[in-house]
Amino acid sequence: MSFWDRIKLLFKVRTSAELDRMEDPRQVMEYAVHEQEAFLQTVRRGLVDVATAKQQLAQQVKMANARIPRLENLARQAVAIDREDVARMALNRKLTAVYELQCLELELADLEDEERKLFAAEQQIADRVASFRIQKDATSARYTAAETQVKIGETLSGVSGELGELSLALGRAEEKTRQMIARASALDALMAGGSFEPTVLGGEDMVERE
């Protein structure tokens, strides 16, 4: 591995570690739930659109069903008055209406099938969103508890270090105090033994010193 390859690898490792520290599982779960809820709303809007289109088609099917008998009646009336041209026209319109009715019924069946699929998908997504919410709450609670424990541990660790340093400082202070007391006691003993008699200056004798 070349020098630059090692530099790139080190940069990737550091970047990955920093991103890992920045990534909060609670935010990730919240985002996942939000996306699932948005998708659920899209499916529900699709259900509303399909239901609306199905209602419109059902109305058209109803109108087509009512139109066919009316055209048949017109054709019979035209034959009764020897208007075969009108009768043929009415029958042609009836055939067209029958064809349109068949197409409308096929479209209506397709919409009903699509509605069933969307309804099943809506139920599955709703269940998944509910499961995600429970998982999010549990993950957030566990992460918060672990984060609190880490903070407490770090605090206690810092306090332990400070207490250790204070103990060392107190030990040194006590040692110096003992040394100072010992030195003072030694000086008192020397002074009591006469080791610190003042030096005679100028050749003074005992009488002059007295």
Side-chain angles (χ1 to χ4, degrees):
M1 182 182 291
S2 66
F3 173 76
W4 289 112
D5 289 336
R6 290 196 296 271
I7 292 296
K8 291 179 181 178
L9 179 60
L10 179 61
F11 177 76
K12 289 180 179 179
V13 170
R14 288 184 176 178
T15 302
S16 177
E18 290 175 359
L19 289 175
D20 185 66
R21 286 194 297 270
M22 292 173 60
E23 186 180 275
D24 190 335
R26 292 167 295 189
Q27 295 178 356
V28 174
M29 294 298 295
E30 186 69 31
Y31 176 77
V33 171
H34 175 75
E35 289 298 306
Q36 291 293 323
E37 289 177 341
F39 186 51
L40 179 61
Q41 292 301 320
T42 300
V43 173
R44 285 174 175 170
R45 284 194 295 270
L47 274 171
V48 173
D49 293 340
V50 169
T52 303
K54 190 179 74 170
Q55 185 176 5
Q56 293 174 350
L57 278 176
Q59 186 67 24
Q60 292 177 10
V61 168
K62 182 179 179 181
M63 293 172 61
N65 278 320
R67 187 181 180 191
I68 292 172
R70 186 167 61 251
L71 291 171
E72 290 177 345
N73 188 37
L74 286 175
R76 283 193 297 269
Q77 291 177 0
V79 171
I81 60 174
D82 295 328
R83 291 295 305 270
E84 294 183 0
D85 54 337
V86 176
R88 284 195 297 270
M89 186 181 299
L91 291 175
N92 287 333
R93 289 184 178 179
K94 175 195 170 183
L95 292 175
T96 301
V98 170
Y99 176 76
E100 290 178 353
L101 177 62
Q102 292 174 347
C103 292
L104 289 172
E105 289 176 343
L106 288 174
E107 291 181 10
L108 184 59
D110 290 340
L111 279 178
E112 289 175 346
D113 184 60
E114 184 67 23
E115 185 180 37
R116 285 191 294 269
K117 291 179 181 178
L118 283 174
F119 183 76
E122 190 268 342
Q123 292 295 315
Q124 292 177 357
I125 297 170
D127 292 341
R128 187 165 56 188
V129 168
S131 177
F132 263 58
R133 285 198 188 102
I134 295 173
Q135 186 177 358
K136 176 185 74 69
D137 294 340
T139 300
S140 298
R142 289 197 301 269
Y143 186 83
T144 301
E147 187 179 43
T148 302
Q149 290 177 348
V150 169
K151 290 180 179 179
I152 292 174
E154 291 175 348
T155 301
L156 292 176
S157 177
V159 170
S160 298
E162 292 177 0
L163 288 177
E165 293 177 358
L166 287 174
S167 297
L168 291 176
L170 287 173
R172 290 193 298 270
E174 290 177 355
E175 181 63 26
K176 288 184 178 181
T177 301
R178 286 193 296 269
Q179 291 176 0
M180 188 62 66
I181 292 173
R183 184 176 181 183
S185 299
L187 289 174
D188 289 341
L190 289 174
M191 292 178 67
S195 299
F196 288 99
E197 288 291 339
T199 304
V200 178
L201 297 177
E204 294 181 347
D205 59 10
M206 180 64 69
V207 175
E208 292 175 344
R209 188 168 63 251
E210 290 297 330

